Amino acid sequence: NLRQHVQTDGMHKKDHFKPGNRSRECLSEAVKTLKGEYLVRAIDEHKMDQAIIFCRTKLDCDNVEQYLLKLGGGKGMVNKYSCVCLHGDRRPQERKANLQAFKDG
């Protein structure tokens, strides 16, 4: 049972999914939806203090960031699910500050 799920890019929003459907579209959407749950499990299981998470797109980065913030993460490195984004759509000053926050722990 998912607590919440990562917002997806909506690519397959209009597809009709049903249990047992193993189409590529359905599996693609499932992976995007479950990504956050698996990320949180990995953080918890391995007791990670820090990690760099790579996403395929800038939108995926933003969506994972929002998911972790909803779980109680904060901007900067303040608690278990704190996160920052470093992708190119962020202002250079923000990226620099985010990278420094990561380095500082």
Side-chain angles (χ1 to χ4, degrees), residues 48-65:
M48 293 182 198
D49 291 336
Q50 287 187 309
I52 296 178
I53 310 301
F54 291 89
C55 298
R56 189 177 65 80
T57 67
K58 296 172 193 174
L59 179 58
D60 288 342
C61 289
D62 290 336
N63 289 339
V64 167
E65 178 187 40

Side-chain angles (χ1 to χ4, degrees), residues 21-86:
N21 185 347
R22 299 191 55 80
S23 70
R24 288 166 55 177
E25 295 82 9
C26 186
L27 294 176
S28 173
E29 190 71 9
V31 166
K32 291 175 187 177
T33 300
L34 294 172
K35 185 181 295 182
E37 279 291 312
Y38 288 126
L39 176 58
V40 167
R41 278 191 197 174
I43 291 168
D44 292 344
E45 182 75 23
H46 298 287
K47 297 172 180 56
M48 293 182 198
D49 291 336
Q50 287 187 309
I52 296 178
I53 310 301
F54 291 89
C55 298
R56 189 177 65 80
T57 67
K58 296 172 193 174
L59 179 58
D60 288 342
C61 289
D62 290 336
N63 289 339
V64 167
E65 178 187 40
Q66 289 304 310
Y67 176 78
L68 292 173
L69 293 174
K70 284 180 187 175
L71 290 180
K75 293 283 187 177
M77 301 296 150
V78 295
N79 67 40
K80 191 174 188 176
Y81 301 120
S82 294
C83 61
V84 294
C85 282
L86 299 173

